[in-house]
Amino acid sequence: MRALLCKEHGLPDKLELATDVAEPIAEAGQVIIDVKAAGLNFPDVLIIQGKYQFQPDMPFSPGGECAGVVLSVGEGVDRYKPGDKVIAMTGSGCFRDQIAADQNAVMPMPEGLDFKQAAGVAMTYFTSYHALKQRADLKEGETLLVLGAAGGVGSTAVELGKLMGARVIAAASSEEKLAMCRELGADETINYSEQDLKTAIKELTGGKGVDVIYDPVGGDYAEPALRGMAWNGRYLVIGFASGPIPEVPLNLALLKGCSIVGVFWGHFIAEEPKVHLQNIQELWGLFAEGKLKPAINDVFPLEDYEKAYDVMMGRKARGKVILTME
């Protein structure tokens, strides 16, 4: 069996694609999944460098989410059977042909999606839905600014924000990315590689500012975005894909009367599991109705993992980055 292994912390060139790894055997409460596709996320960049909040023991396979078919189940598993199409959220271990996942980390695959689409829905859609619904309490008619809007989580925030009735402003670094955002429903776009972000926000909102900012980028864009916040606005801290963690003047929160809100989906599901399950049910309904369609443009076979990481680390992604096992 093949497995992408991290045996020492570093950049993707330190990873090793092994071909002789033993196939997993289902223990009690486990589901063995024949992995068809797996999503590459920013935590997968951090975890191989030893910079993520949760670090598995060496050697390990990166990859926190996947889609595939159940091969076998262990004792006590009655929700799944061989042949079921499922997705799994495992934190790590998905960049391999087969994975043993705890049954509680496994969910039925959403209807209407193929394996490549389904492999990328959990971390992105779950994060964005929780962020916009529970943390921002986004209201119909409000204005939502999404930074890094063409990336994995950013593209889902554009799609969900529009579905929730917001006026969506998508900000990204190229016209190609912004074209994709418009296809997802963005009302306005900002190319922040060519435009001043603060000035563009002011012009697009008639000086009022935006009600909610969704920021998975951080870095140099955080402060000008915060300066473009409306009264009673909510600034969602999603992540720091650009690298540096920004240091913003807190007097801006005072002057704007706004909230800076942390979004830690991984901790949310542990603290509020019933709310998380309700979110899943609502999202699965939207997938089944065809109201959500994951943006998948960057797909690589497992052996091209370095190219996939380059897209993620170079902020070249247009939607979700996917690794396929077939």
CSV table of all heavy atoms in Angstrom, one decimal, residues 250-307:
chain,number,residue,atom,x,y,z
A,250,LEU,N,-5.4,47.9,18.6
A,250,LEU,CA,-6.7,47.6,19.2
A,250,LEU,C,-7.6,48.8,19.3
A,250,LEU,O,-8.8,48.6,19.5
A,250,LEU,CB,-6.6,46.9,20.5
A,250,LEU,CG,-6.1,45.4,20.5
A,250,LEU,CD1,-5.9,44.9,21.9
A,250,LEU,CD2,-7.0,44.6,19.7
A,251,ASN,N,-7.0,50.0,19.1
A,251,ASN,CA,-7.9,51.2,19.2
A,251,ASN,C,-8.9,51.2,18.0
A,251,ASN,O,-9.9,51.8,18.1
A,251,ASN,CB,-7.1,52.4,19.2
A,251,ASN,CG,-6.3,52.6,17.9
A,251,ASN,OD1,-5.5,51.7,17.5
A,251,ASN,ND2,-6.5,53.8,17.3
A,252,LEU,N,-8.5,50.4,16.9
A,252,LEU,CA,-9.4,50.4,15.8
A,252,LEU,C,-10.7,49.7,16.2
A,252,LEU,O,-11.8,50.1,15.7
A,252,LEU,CB,-8.8,49.6,14.6
A,252,LEU,CG,-7.6,50.3,13.9
A,252,LEU,CD1,-7.0,49.4,12.9
A,252,LEU,CD2,-8.0,51.7,13.3
A,253,ALA,N,-10.7,48.6,17.0
A,253,ALA,CA,-11.9,48.0,17.5
A,253,ALA,C,-12.7,48.9,18.3
A,253,ALA,O,-14.0,48.9,18.2
A,253,ALA,CB,-11.5,46.7,18.3
A,254,LEU,N,-12.1,49.8,19.1
A,254,LEU,CA,-12.8,50.7,19.9
A,254,LEU,C,-13.5,51.8,19.0
A,254,LEU,O,-14.7,52.1,19.1
A,254,LEU,CB,-11.8,51.4,20.9
A,254,LEU,CG,-12.3,52.4,21.9
A,254,LEU,CD1,-11.4,52.5,23.1
A,254,LEU,CD2,-12.4,53.8,21.2
A,255,LEU,N,-12.7,52.3,18.1
A,255,LEU,CA,-13.2,53.4,17.2
A,255,LEU,C,-14.4,52.9,16.3
A,255,LEU,O,-15.3,53.7,16.0
A,255,LEU,CB,-12.1,54.0,16.4
A,255,LEU,CG,-11.0,54.7,17.1
A,255,LEU,CD1,-9.9,55.1,16.2
A,255,LEU,CD2,-11.6,56.0,17.8
A,256,LYS,N,-14.3,51.7,15.9
A,256,LYS,CA,-15.3,51.1,15.0
A,256,LYS,C,-16.4,50.5,15.7
A,256,LYS,O,-17.5,50.2,15.1
A,256,LYS,CB,-14.6,50.0,14.1
A,256,LYS,CG,-13.5,50.6,13.2
A,256,LYS,CD,-14.1,51.4,12.0
A,256,LYS,CE,-13.0,51.8,11.1
A,256,LYS,NZ,-13.5,52.6,9.9
A,257,GLY,N,-16.3,50.3,17.0
A,257,GLY,CA,-17.4,49.6,17.8
A,257,GLY,C,-17.6,48.2,17.2
A,257,GLY,O,-18.7,47.7,17.2
A,258,CYS,N,-16.5,47.6,16.8
A,258,CYS,CA,-16.6,46.3,16.2
A,258,CYS,C,-16.0,45.2,17.0
A,258,CYS,O,-15.3,45.4,18.0
A,258,CYS,CB,-15.9,46.3,14.8
A,258,CYS,SG,-14.1,46.5,14.9
A,259,SER,N,-16.2,43.9,16.7
A,259,SER,CA,-15.7,42.8,17.4
A,259,SER,C,-14.7,42.0,16.6
A,259,SER,O,-14.9,41.9,15.3
A,259,SER,CB,-16.9,41.8,17.7
A,259,SER,OG,-17.9,42.4,18.4
A,260,ILE,N,-13.6,41.6,17.2
A,260,ILE,CA,-12.6,40.7,16.6
A,260,ILE,C,-12.9,39.3,17.1
A,260,ILE,O,-12.8,39.1,18.3
A,260,ILE,CB,-11.2,41.2,16.9
A,260,ILE,CG1,-11.0,42.6,16.3
A,260,ILE,CG2,-10.2,40.2,16.3
A,260,ILE,CD1,-9.6,43.2,16.7
A,261,VAL,N,-13.4,38.4,16.2
A,261,VAL,CA,-13.9,37.1,16.7
A,261,VAL,C,-13.0,36.0,16.2
A,261,VAL,O,-12.8,35.8,14.9
A,261,VAL,CB,-15.4,37.0,16.1
A,261,VAL,CG1,-16.0,35.7,16.6
A,261,VAL,CG2,-16.2,38.2,16.5
A,262,GLY,N,-12.6,35.2,17.1
A,262,GLY,CA,-11.8,34.0,16.7
A,262,GLY,C,-12.7,32.9,16.2
A,262,GLY,O,-13.8,32.7,16.8
A,263,VAL,N,-12.2,32.2,15.2
A,263,VAL,CA,-13.0,31.0,14.7
A,263,VAL,C,-12.1,29.8,14.7
A,263,VAL,O,-11.1,29.7,13.9
A,263,VAL,CB,-13.4,31.3,13.2
A,263,VAL,CG1,-14.2,30.0,12.7
A,263,VAL,CG2,-14.3,32.5,13.1
A,264,PHE,N,-12.3,28.9,15.7
A,264,PHE,CA,-11.5,27.7,15.8
A,264,PHE,C,-12.5,26.5,15.7
A,264,PHE,O,-13.0,26.0,16.7
A,264,PHE,CB,-10.8,27.7,17.2
A,264,PHE,CG,-9.8,26.6,17.3
A,264,PHE,CD1,-9.1,26.5,18.5
A,264,PHE,CD2,-9.6,25.6,16.3
A,264,PHE,CE1,-8.1,25.5,18.7
A,264,PHE,CE2,-8.7,24.6,16.5
A,264,PHE,CZ,-7.9,24.5,17.7
A,265,TRP,N,-12.8,26.1,14.5
A,265,TRP,CA,-13.8,25.1,14.2
A,265,TRP,C,-13.4,23.8,14.9
A,265,TRP,O,-14.3,23.1,15.5
A,265,TRP,CB,-13.9,24.8,12.7
A,265,TRP,CG,-14.7,23.6,12.4
A,265,TRP,CD1,-16.1,23.6,12.4
A,265,TRP,CD2,-14.3,22.4,12.0
A,265,TRP,NE1,-16.5,22.3,12.1
A,265,TRP,CE2,-15.4,21.5,11.8
A,265,TRP,CE3,-13.0,21.8,11.8
A,265,TRP,CZ2,-15.3,20.2,11.4
A,265,TRP,CZ3,-12.9,20.5,11.4
A,265,TRP,CH2,-14.0,19.7,11.2
A,266,GLY,N,-12.1,23.4,15.0
A,266,GLY,CA,-11.7,22.2,15.6
A,266,GLY,C,-12.1,22.1,17.1
A,266,GLY,O,-12.5,21.0,17.6
A,267,HIS,N,-12.1,23.2,17.8
A,267,HIS,CA,-12.4,23.2,19.2
A,267,HIS,C,-13.9,23.3,19.3
A,267,HIS,O,-14.5,22.8,20.3
A,267,HIS,CB,-11.7,24.4,19.9
A,267,HIS,CG,-11.7,24.3,21.4
A,267,HIS,ND1,-11.2,23.2,22.0
A,267,HIS,CD2,-12.2,25.1,22.3
A,267,HIS,CE1,-11.3,23.4,23.3
A,267,HIS,NE2,-11.9,24.5,23.6
A,268,PHE,N,-14.6,24.0,18.4
A,268,PHE,CA,-16.0,24.2,18.4
A,268,PHE,C,-16.7,22.8,18.4
A,268,PHE,O,-17.7,22.6,19.1
A,268,PHE,CB,-16.5,25.0,17.2
A,268,PHE,CG,-17.9,24.8,16.8
A,268,PHE,CD1,-18.9,25.3,17.5
A,268,PHE,CD2,-18.2,24.2,15.5
A,268,PHE,CE1,-20.3,25.1,17.1
A,268,PHE,CE2,-19.5,24.0,15.1
A,268,PHE,CZ,-20.5,24.5,15.9
A,269,ILE,N,-16.3,21.9,17.6
A,269,ILE,CA,-17.0,20.6,17.5
A,269,ILE,C,-16.9,19.8,18.8
A,269,ILE,O,-17.7,19.0,19.1
A,269,ILE,CB,-16.5,19.8,16.3
A,269,ILE,CG1,-15.0,19.4,16.4
A,269,ILE,CG2,-16.7,20.5,15.0
A,269,ILE,CD1,-14.5,18.5,15.3
A,270,ALA,N,-15.8,20.1,19.5
A,270,ALA,CA,-15.7,19.4,20.8
A,270,ALA,C,-16.5,20.0,21.9
A,270,ALA,O,-17.1,19.4,22.8
A,270,ALA,CB,-14.2,19.4,21.3
A,271,GLU,N,-16.6,21.4,21.8
A,271,GLU,CA,-17.4,22.1,22.9
A,271,GLU,C,-18.9,22.1,22.6
A,271,GLU,O,-19.7,22.1,23.5
A,271,GLU,CB,-16.9,23.6,22.9
A,271,GLU,CG,-15.5,23.7,23.4
A,271,GLU,CD,-15.4,23.4,24.9
A,271,GLU,OE1,-16.4,23.5,25.6
A,271,GLU,OE2,-14.2,23.1,25.4
A,272,GLU,N,-19.3,22.1,21.3
A,272,GLU,CA,-20.7,22.2,20.9
A,272,GLU,C,-21.0,21.2,19.9
A,272,GLU,O,-21.4,21.5,18.8
A,272,GLU,CB,-21.0,23.6,20.4
A,272,GLU,CG,-20.6,24.7,21.4
A,272,GLU,CD,-20.9,26.1,20.8
A,272,GLU,OE1,-22.1,26.4,20.5
A,272,GLU,OE2,-19.9,26.9,20.7
A,273,PRO,N,-20.9,19.9,20.2
A,273,PRO,CA,-21.2,18.8,19.2
A,273,PRO,C,-22.6,18.8,18.6
A,273,PRO,O,-22.7,18.5,17.4
A,273,PRO,CB,-20.9,17.5,20.0
A,273,PRO,CG,-21.0,17.9,21.4
A,273,PRO,CD,-20.6,19.3,21.5
A,274,LYS,N,-23.6,19.1,19.4
A,274,LYS,CA,-24.9,19.1,18.9
A,274,LYS,C,-25.1,20.2,17.9
A,274,LYS,O,-25.8,20.0,16.8
A,274,LYS,CB,-25.9,19.3,20.0
A,274,LYS,CG,-26.0,18.1,21.0
A,274,LYS,CD,-27.1,18.3,22.0
A,274,LYS,CE,-27.1,17.1,23.0
A,274,LYS,NZ,-28.2,17.2,24.0
A,275,VAL,N,-24.6,21.4,18.1
A,275,VAL,CA,-24.7,22.5,17.1
A,275,VAL,C,-23.9,22.1,15.8
A,275,VAL,O,-24.4,22.3,14.7
A,275,VAL,CB,-24.1,23.8,17.7
A,275,VAL,CG1,-24.2,24.9,16.7
A,275,VAL,CG2,-24.8,24.2,19.0
A,276,HIS,N,-22.8,21.4,16.0
A,276,HIS,CA,-22.0,21.0,14.8
A,276,HIS,C,-22.8,20.0,14.0
A,276,HIS,O,-22.8,20.1,12.8
A,276,HIS,CB,-20.7,20.4,15.3
A,276,HIS,CG,-19.9,19.7,14.2
A,276,HIS,ND1,-19.5,20.3,13.1
A,276,HIS,CD2,-19.5,18.4,14.1
A,276,HIS,CE1,-18.9,19.4,12.3
A,276,HIS,NE2,-18.8,18.3,12.9
A,277,LEU,N,-23.5,19.1,14.6
A,277,LEU,CA,-24.3,18.1,13.9
A,277,LEU,C,-25.4,18.7,13.2
A,277,LEU,O,-25.8,18.3,12.1
A,277,LEU,CB,-24.8,17.0,14.9
A,277,LEU,CG,-23.8,16.0,15.4
A,277,LEU,CD1,-24.4,15.1,16.5
A,277,LEU,CD2,-23.1,15.2,14.3
A,278,GLN,N,-26.0,19.8,13.8
A,278,GLN,CA,-27.1,20.5,13.1
A,278,GLN,C,-26.5,21.2,11.9
A,278,GLN,O,-27.2,21.2,10.8
A,278,GLN,CB,-27.7,21.5,14.1
A,278,GLN,CG,-28.8,22.4,13.5
A,278,GLN,CD,-30.0,21.6,13.1
A,278,GLN,OE1,-30.3,20.6,13.7
A,278,GLN,NE2,-30.7,22.0,12.0
A,279,ASN,N,-25.3,21.8,12.0
A,279,ASN,CA,-24.7,22.4,10.8
A,279,ASN,C,-24.5,21.4,9.7
A,279,ASN,O,-24.7,21.7,8.5
A,279,ASN,CB,-23.3,23.0,11.2
A,279,ASN,CG,-23.4,24.3,12.0
A,279,ASN,OD1,-24.5,24.8,12.2
A,279,ASN,ND2,-22.3,24.8,12.5
A,280,ILE,N,-24.0,20.2,10.1
A,280,ILE,CA,-23.8,19.2,9.0
A,280,ILE,C,-25.1,18.8,8.3
A,280,ILE,O,-25.2,18.7,7.1
A,280,ILE,CB,-23.2,17.9,9.7
A,280,ILE,CG1,-21.8,18.2,10.2
A,280,ILE,CG2,-23.2,16.7,8.6
A,280,ILE,CD1,-21.2,17.0,10.9
A,281,GLN,N,-26.2,18.6,9.1
A,281,GLN,CA,-27.5,18.3,8.5
A,281,GLN,C,-27.9,19.4,7.5
A,281,GLN,O,-28.4,19.1,6.4
A,281,GLN,CB,-28.5,18.1,9.6
A,281,GLN,CG,-28.3,16.9,10.4
A,281,GLN,CD,-29.2,16.8,11.6
A,281,GLN,OE1,-30.1,17.6,11.8
A,281,GLN,NE2,-29.1,15.7,12.4
A,282,GLU,N,-27.7,20.6,7.9
A,282,GLU,CA,-28.1,21.8,7.1
A,282,GLU,C,-27.3,21.8,5.8
A,282,GLU,O,-27.8,22.0,4.7
A,282,GLU,CB,-28.1,23.1,7.8
A,282,GLU,CG,-29.1,23.1,9.0
A,282,GLU,CD,-28.9,24.4,9.9
A,282,GLU,OE1,-28.0,25.2,9.6
A,282,GLU,OE2,-29.6,24.4,10.9
A,283,LEU,N,-26.0,21.6,5.9
A,283,LEU,CA,-25.1,21.6,4.8
A,283,LEU,C,-25.4,20.5,3.8
A,283,LEU,O,-25.4,20.7,2.6
A,283,LEU,CB,-23.6,21.6,5.2
A,283,LEU,CG,-23.0,22.9,5.8
A,283,LEU,CD1,-21.7,22.6,6.4
A,283,LEU,CD2,-22.9,23.9,4.6
A,284,TRP,N,-25.6,19.3,4.4
A,284,TRP,CA,-25.9,18.1,3.5
A,284,TRP,C,-27.2,18.3,2.8
A,284,TRP,O,-27.3,17.9,1.6
A,284,TRP,CB,-26.0,16.9,4.4
A,284,TRP,CG,-24.8,16.0,4.5
A,284,TRP,CD1,-24.7,14.7,4.3
A,284,TRP,CD2,-23.4,16.4,4.7
A,284,TRP,NE1,-23.4,14.2,4.4
A,284,TRP,CE2,-22.6,15.3,4.6
A,284,TRP,CE3,-22.8,17.7,4.9
A,284,TRP,CZ2,-21.2,15.4,4.8
A,284,TRP,CZ3,-21.4,17.7,5.1
A,284,TRP,CH2,-20.7,16.6,5.0
A,285,GLY,N,-28.2,19.0,3.4
A,285,GLY,CA,-29.4,19.4,2.7
A,285,GLY,C,-29.1,20.3,1.5
A,285,GLY,O,-29.7,20.1,0.4
A,286,LEU,N,-28.2,21.3,1.7
A,286,LEU,CA,-27.9,22.2,0.6
A,286,LEU,C,-27.2,21.5,-0.5
A,286,LEU,O,-27.4,21.8,-1.7
A,286,LEU,CB,-27.0,23.4,1.2
A,286,LEU,CG,-27.8,24.3,2.2
A,286,LEU,CD1,-26.8,25.2,2.8
A,286,LEU,CD2,-28.9,25.1,1.5
A,287,PHE,N,-26.3,20.5,-0.2
A,287,PHE,CA,-25.6,19.8,-1.2
A,287,PHE,C,-26.6,19.0,-2.0
A,287,PHE,O,-26.6,18.9,-3.2
A,287,PHE,CB,-24.6,18.8,-0.6
A,287,PHE,CG,-23.3,19.5,-0.2
A,287,PHE,CD1,-22.8,19.4,1.1
A,287,PHE,CD2,-22.6,20.3,-1.1
A,287,PHE,CE1,-21.7,20.1,1.5
A,287,PHE,CE2,-21.4,20.9,-0.7
A,287,PHE,CZ,-20.9,20.8,0.6
A,288,ALA,N,-27.5,18.3,-1.3
A,288,ALA,CA,-28.5,17.4,-1.9
A,288,ALA,C,-29.5,18.3,-2.9
A,288,ALA,O,-29.9,17.8,-3.9
A,288,ALA,CB,-29.4,16.7,-0.9
A,289,GLU,N,-29.7,19.5,-2.5
A,289,GLU,CA,-30.6,20.4,-3.3
A,289,GLU,C,-29.8,21.0,-4.4
A,289,GLU,O,-30.4,21.8,-5.3
A,289,GLU,CB,-31.2,21.5,-2.4
A,289,GLU,CG,-32.2,20.9,-1.3
A,289,GLU,CD,-32.6,22.0,-0.3
A,289,GLU,OE1,-32.3,23.2,-0.6
A,289,GLU,OE2,-33.1,21.6,0.7
A,290,GLY,N,-28.5,20.8,-4.5
A,290,GLY,CA,-27.7,21.4,-5.6
A,290,GLY,C,-27.4,22.9,-5.4
A,290,GLY,O,-27.0,23.6,-6.3
A,291,LYS,N,-27.6,23.4,-4.1
A,291,LYS,CA,-27.4,24.8,-3.9
A,291,LYS,C,-25.9,25.1,-3.6
A,291,LYS,O,-25.5,26.3,-3.6
A,291,LYS,CB,-28.3,25.3,-2.7
A,291,LYS,CG,-29.8,25.3,-3.0
A,291,LYS,CD,-30.6,25.7,-1.8
A,291,LYS,CE,-32.1,25.8,-2.2
A,291,LYS,NZ,-32.9,26.2,-1.1
A,292,LEU,N,-25.2,24.1,-3.3
A,292,LEU,CA,-23.7,24.3,-3.0
A,292,LEU,C,-23.0,23.3,-4.0
A,292,LEU,O,-23.4,22.2,-4.2
A,292,LEU,CB,-23.3,23.9,-1.6
A,292,LEU,CG,-23.9,24.8,-0.5
A,292,LEU,CD1,-23.5,24.2,0.9
A,292,LEU,CD2,-23.3,26.2,-0.6
A,293,LYS,N,-21.9,23.8,-4.6
A,293,LYS,CA,-21.1,23.0,-5.5
A,293,LYS,C,-19.6,23.4,-5.3
A,293,LYS,O,-19.2,24.5,-5.6
A,293,LYS,CB,-21.5,23.3,-7.0
A,293,LYS,CG,-20.7,22.3,-7.9
A,293,LYS,CD,-21.2,22.6,-9.4
A,293,LYS,CE,-20.4,21.6,-10.3
A,293,LYS,NZ,-20.9,21.8,-11.7
A,294,PRO,N,-18.9,22.5,-4.6
A,294,PRO,CA,-17.5,22.8,-4.3
A,294,PRO,C,-16.7,23.1,-5.6
A,294,PRO,O,-16.8,22.5,-6.6
A,294,PRO,CB,-17.0,21.4,-3.7
A,294,PRO,CG,-18.2,20.7,-3.2
A,294,PRO,CD,-19.3,21.1,-4.2
A,295,ALA,N,-15.8,24.2,-5.4
A,295,ALA,CA,-15.0,24.6,-6.5
A,295,ALA,C,-13.7,23.8,-6.5
A,295,ALA,O,-12.9,23.9,-5.5
A,295,ALA,CB,-14.6,26.1,-6.3
A,296,ILE,N,-13.5,23.0,-7.5
A,296,ILE,CA,-12.4,22.1,-7.5
A,296,ILE,C,-11.7,22.3,-8.9
A,296,ILE,O,-12.2,22.0,-9.9
A,296,ILE,CB,-12.7,20.6,-7.4
A,296,ILE,CG1,-13.6,20.3,-6.2
A,296,ILE,CG2,-11.5,19.7,-7.5
A,296,ILE,CD1,-12.8,20.5,-4.9
A,297,ASN,N,-10.5,22.9,-8.8
A,297,ASN,CA,-9.8,23.2,-10.1
A,297,ASN,C,-8.3,22.7,-10.0
A,297,ASN,O,-7.7,22.5,-11.1
A,297,ASN,CB,-9.7,24.7,-10.3
A,297,ASN,CG,-11.0,25.4,-10.6
A,297,ASN,OD1,-11.6,25.1,-11.7
A,297,ASN,ND2,-11.5,26.2,-9.7
A,298,ASP,N,-7.8,22.3,-8.8
A,298,ASP,CA,-6.5,21.9,-8.7
A,298,ASP,C,-6.5,20.5,-8.2
A,298,ASP,O,-6.6,20.2,-7.0
A,298,ASP,CB,-5.7,22.8,-7.8
A,298,ASP,CG,-5.7,24.3,-8.3
A,298,ASP,OD1,-5.1,24.5,-9.4
A,298,ASP,OD2,-6.2,25.2,-7.7
A,299,VAL,N,-6.3,19.5,-9.1
A,299,VAL,CA,-6.4,18.1,-8.7
A,299,VAL,C,-5.1,17.4,-9.2
A,299,VAL,O,-4.6,17.6,-10.3
A,299,VAL,CB,-7.6,17.4,-9.4
A,299,VAL,CG1,-7.6,15.9,-9.0
A,299,VAL,CG2,-8.9,18.1,-9.0
A,300,PHE,N,-4.4,16.7,-8.2
A,300,PHE,CA,-3.2,16.0,-8.5
A,300,PHE,C,-3.2,14.6,-8.1
A,300,PHE,O,-3.8,14.2,-7.0
A,300,PHE,CB,-2.0,16.7,-7.8
A,300,PHE,CG,-1.9,18.2,-8.1
A,300,PHE,CD1,-2.6,19.1,-7.4
A,300,PHE,CD2,-1.0,18.6,-9.1
A,300,PHE,CE1,-2.5,20.5,-7.7
A,300,PHE,CE2,-0.9,19.9,-9.4
A,300,PHE,CZ,-1.6,20.9,-8.7
A,301,PRO,N,-2.6,13.6,-8.8
A,301,PRO,CA,-2.4,12.3,-8.3
A,301,PRO,C,-1.4,12.3,-7.1
A,301,PRO,O,-0.6,13.2,-7.0
A,301,PRO,CB,-1.8,11.5,-9.5
A,301,PRO,CG,-1.1,12.6,-10.3
A,301,PRO,CD,-2.0,13.8,-10.1
A,302,LEU,N,-1.5,11.3,-6.2
A,302,LEU,CA,-0.7,11.3,-5.0
A,302,LEU,C,0.8,11.5,-5.3
A,302,LEU,O,1.4,12.2,-4.5
A,302,LEU,CB,-1.0,10.0,-4.3
A,302,LEU,CG,-0.2,9.8,-2.9
A,302,LEU,CD1,-0.6,10.8,-1.9
A,302,LEU,CD2,-0.5,8.4,-2.4
A,303,GLU,N,1.3,10.9,-6.4
A,303,GLU,CA,2.7,11.0,-6.6
A,303,GLU,C,3.1,12.4,-7.0
A,303,GLU,O,4.3,12.7,-6.9
A,303,GLU,CB,3.1,10.0,-7.7
A,303,GLU,CG,2.3,10.2,-9.0
A,303,GLU,CD,1.1,9.2,-9.1
A,303,GLU,OE1,0.6,8.8,-8.0
A,303,GLU,OE2,0.8,8.8,-10.2
A,304,ASP,N,2.2,13.3,-7.3
A,304,ASP,CA,2.5,14.7,-7.6
A,304,ASP,C,2.3,15.6,-6.4
A,304,ASP,O,1.9,16.7,-6.5
A,304,ASP,CB,1.7,15.2,-8.8
A,304,ASP,CG,2.2,14.6,-10.1
A,304,ASP,OD1,3.4,14.1,-10.1
A,304,ASP,OD2,1.5,14.7,-11.1
A,305,TYR,N,2.5,15.0,-5.2
A,305,TYR,CA,2.2,15.8,-3.9
A,305,TYR,C,3.0,17.1,-3.8
A,305,TYR,O,2.5,18.0,-3.3
A,305,TYR,CB,2.4,14.9,-2.7
A,305,TYR,CG,3.9,14.4,-2.5
A,305,TYR,CD1,4.8,15.2,-1.8
A,305,TYR,CD2,4.3,13.2,-3.1
A,305,TYR,CE1,6.1,14.7,-1.6
A,305,TYR,CE2,5.6,12.8,-2.9
A,305,TYR,CZ,6.5,13.5,-2.2
A,305,TYR,OH,7.8,13.1,-2.1
A,306,GLU,N,4.2,17.1,-4.3
A,306,GLU,CA,5.0,18.3,-4.2
A,306,GLU,C,4.4,19.4,-5.1
A,306,GLU,O,4.4,20.6,-4.6
A,306,GLU,CB,6.4,18.1,-4.7
A,306,GLU,CG,7.3,17.3,-3.7
A,306,GLU,CD,8.8,17.4,-3.9
A,306,GLU,OE1,9.3,18.5,-3.9
A,306,GLU,OE2,9.4,16.4,-4.1
A,307,LYS,N,3.8,19.1,-6.2
A,307,LYS,CA,3.1,20.1,-7.0
A,307,LYS,C,1.9,20.6,-6.3
A,307,LYS,O,1.6,21.8,-6.3
A,307,LYS,CB,2.7,19.5,-8.4
A,307,LYS,CG,3.9,19.2,-9.3
A,307,LYS,CD,3.4,18.6,-10.6
A,307,LYS,CE,4.6,18.2,-11.5
A,307,LYS,NZ,4.2,17.6,-12.8
